[in-house]
Amino acid sequence: MNKRIPITLITGYLGSGKTTLLNQVLKNQKGYKVAVIVNDIGEINIDAELIERGGEVTLAEDNLVALSNGCICCSLKTDLMKQIVQLVKQRRFDYIVIEASGICEPLSIVQTIAMLDGTVEDERLPNICRLDNVVTVVDARRLVDEFLGGRSLIKENIEEDDIESLVIQQIEFCNTIILNKVSDVTEAEKREILSIIRQLQPEAEIIETDYARVEVTKVLNTEKFSLDKVESSSGWKKAFLEEKDHSHEHESQQEEHTHQHRHHHHHHNGETDEYGISTFLYYTRRPFIYEKFEEWINSKWPANIIRSKGMVWFSDEWDNAHIFEQAGKQVNLTPAGLWAAAATKEELEAAMKKYPTIKENWDKTYGDRMIKLVFIGKNMDKVKICKELDACLDN
């Protein structure tokens, strides 16, 4: 019997619904004791905070590991390996789910996990886990709005640093595709999307859904992942292998070109810049004036912001926290319950005891109230965006 701890890797482009899927899984664990590793590209791991706030897993219980300020497919590879080993050694969990950053390449993460699954013959490396499933979440609406219904993913002359290149890799290298937000597109648009996804990845199971609702058995303990099968299942590889007239020399050139590692990092003032995408954190204790913030979103929102996510609050609702999310043209503001500062003295003491970070970050005036927004985009004017957001604050 295989005693190695199974791992599910969740990938997908920014804002596709990875965290929503993760929370769906954690609410319906089917008896598993799941540990979670979350990776985000900014200095502050917003996804980890949102998962923790959802009450599914908590940092206090040591079953949520946040790997921030880098990508687990390159700069944080060693950290990922160490965390997997540490979680296994605790013997408290029987499953690990990894949510990759939206700009991570799945193949590189899989290669890291393979260092711990016996694939690499090295007696210094423990054989402690197995990769069970690589799940890619695809935002149907976003493919229509930003990728020409997916047609831009199959255009000629895609450059190494193009975002299309990253999305293609995420679709190609998986064995389960969750096509999310399907109700937001027409049937004709969906058919085109499915056709293009099938061109890129003919073998993976495609699950159509909204709000990332899927059966947990499609995500956990599927025993579906095979490195050899996934590597040979992409559309380009199948077409290439079926072509009989290629010379060995041409075949070698195609392999080298297609499998070239195309994830580049550049650092500017401590910010991460990958595929031309940079990130920064906007943070303040003061509340937004709702009408001004709404006006900024509607009339001044920079088109080059790809993704934004975090916690906000408003001057006319001191007790209420909200989760703000933007992905492409989609913007959502969701109630996230009360701030701890709105609780009774007894409730607050209990909360601080359970979650020490509340006490550590307490402000004498605002308590735990804060605005914390991560912005991810291309060639963003950070100074201008922050200045405009400051103008939305209550004096």
Side-chain angles (χ1 to χ4, degrees):
M1 188 175 179
N2 195 340
K3 295 294 185 182
R4 296 178 299 167
I5 287 189
I7 295 177
T8 290
L9 171 63
I10 299 175
T11 74
Y13 189 52
L14 300 162
S16 58
K18 297 185 299 297
T19 300
T20 304
L21 172 64
L22 179 55
N23 271 317
Q24 294 281 354
V25 171
L26 294 172
K27 289 175 182 176
N28 304 278
Q29 295 183 32
K30 301 292 184 183
Y32 292 109
K33 296 177 181 177
V34 178
V36 178
I37 298 174
V38 183
N39 175 220
D40 213 345
I41 67 170
E43 295 178 1
I44 303 297
N45 196 325
I46 291 293
D47 278 349
E49 293 190 17
L50 296 180
I51 293 166
E52 180 184 6
R53 189 171 186 87
E56 311 308 333
V57 289
T58 65
L59 291 167
E61 295 174 0
D62 296 327
N63 55 339
L64 175 63
V65 178
L67 299 180
S68 301
N69 207 17
C71 284
I72 55 177
C73 66
C74 39
S75 60
L76 296 181
K77 276 186 175 182
T78 302
D79 289 347
L80 175 61
M81 290 179 65
K82 287 179 179 178
Q83 290 299 340
I84 291 173
V85 172
Q86 184 177 339
L87 288 170
V88 173
K89 281 184 175 180
Q90 291 180 30
R91 297 185 177 180
R92 297 174 52 231
F93 309 106
D94 48 31
Y95 211 102
I96 297 173
V97 176
I98 300 171
E99 181 193 343
S101 157
I103 55 175
C104 273
E105 297 169 355
L107 174 58
S108 189
I109 304 172
V110 169
Q111 291 171 336
T112 300
I113 296 171
M115 302 289 285
L116 302 173
D117 71 358
T119 301
V120 179
E121 296 182 4
D122 188 332
E123 60 184 16
R124 294 170 298 179
L125 296 171
N127 183 0
I128 58 174
C129 63
R130 66 174 178 86
L131 186 55
D132 177 79
N133 198 4
V134 176
V135 180
T136 293
V137 185
V138 177
D139 183 338
R141 181 70 252 167
R142 195 155 196 189
L143 279 186
V144 172
D145 288 342
E146 298 178 41
F147 296 98
L148 301 177
R151 294 189 299 279
S152 62
L153 302 181
I154 55 174
K155 68 183 181 182
E156 294 183 1
N157 303 319
I158 293 176
E159 298 293 334
E160 292 178 3
D161 287 344
D162 288 349
I163 294 173
E164 287 87 350
S165 173
L166 172 64
V167 175
I168 287 168
Q169 291 178 68
Q170 292 172 341
I171 292 174
E172 283 184 337
F173 197 87
C174 69
N175 51 267
T176 303
I177 293 173
I178 295 176
L179 185 59
N180 199 26
K181 310 178 188 178
V182 291
S183 293
D184 292 338
V185 299
T186 66
E187 281 297 317
E189 288 170 336
K190 187 177 76 171
R191 285 195 299 271
E192 182 176 32
I193 290 168
L194 288 170
S195 174
I196 290 170
I197 288 176
R198 274 294 174 230
Q199 288 186 52
L200 296 171
Q201 173 47 270
E203 302 292 337
E205 178 181 9
I206 300 177
I207 303 170
E208 301 174 23
T209 189
D210 292 301
Y211 305 104
R213 285 192 290 257
V214 298
E215 290 291 328
V216 175
T217 54
K218 297 290 187 180
V219 179
L220 301 184
N221 207 24
T222 64
E223 298 188 354
K224 287 173 57 176
F225 181 81
S226 163
L227 180 58
D228 291 339
K229 186 174 180 180
V230 169
E231 282 190 324
S232 63
S233 67
S234 64
W236 78 265
K237 189 74 172 279
K238 290 180 75 68
F240 178 75
L241 294 175
E242 288 169 3
E243 178 60 57
K244 304 297 184 184
D245 298 327
H246 281 293
S247 68
H248 291 295
E249 178 183 3
H250 184 56
E251 181 174 341
S252 174
Q253 291 171 348
Q254 288 283 351
E255 286 280 347
E256 181 180 354
H257 173 72
T258 308
H259 276 123
Q260 179 184 6
H261 186 64
R262 297 182 283 187
H263 198 147
H264 305 284
H265 285 265
H266 310 280
H267 297 279
H268 303 283
N269 301 320
E271 298 172 6
T272 310
D273 191 337
E274 311 176 46
Y275 282 95
I277 304 170
S278 62
T279 179
F280 73 89
L281 174 72
Y282 178 82
Y283 175 85
T284 180
R285 288 288 186 170
R286 292 160 56 196
F288 283 137
I289 296 174
Y290 179 84
E291 291 77 13
K292 289 186 177 181
F293 184 58
E294 183 181 40
E295 181 184 359
W296 181 75
I297 292 172
N298 292 332
S299 62
K300 296 183 180 180
W301 185 271
N304 53 351
I305 294 178
I306 299 169
R307 175 73 161 138
S308 180
K309 190 172 184 177
M311 304 296 300
V312 298
W313 70 296
F314 301 102
S315 57
D316 60 343
E317 291 187 75
W318 268 61
D319 291 343
N320 297 315
H322 291 82
I323 296 172
F324 176 82
E325 282 194 84
Q326 168 269 336
K329 296 180 180 179
Q330 302 174 68
V331 178
N332 292 296
L333 188 67
T334 308
L338 300 176
W339 295 106
T344 65
K345 183 179 179 180
E346 293 76 15
E347 291 171 337
L348 180 57
E349 289 176 353
M352 285 184 170
K353 187 175 181 180
K354 187 174 183 180
Y355 303 112
T357 54
I358 295 177
K359 188 173 183 178
E360 293 168 9
N361 298 318
W362 195 259
D363 181 88
K364 290 182 178 179
T365 302
Y366 299 109
D368 61 330
R369 301 177 182 91
M370 68 181 72
I371 292 171
K372 186 186 288 186
L373 289 172
V374 167
F375 289 92
I376 303 170
K378 270 196 159 186
N379 306 315
M380 294 182 296
D381 188 337
K382 175 183 174 180
V383 173
K384 183 173 184 289
I385 292 171
C386 289
K387 185 177 180 180
E388 291 177 350
L389 286 172
D390 286 345
C392 299
L393 295 174
D394 184 27
N395 294 322

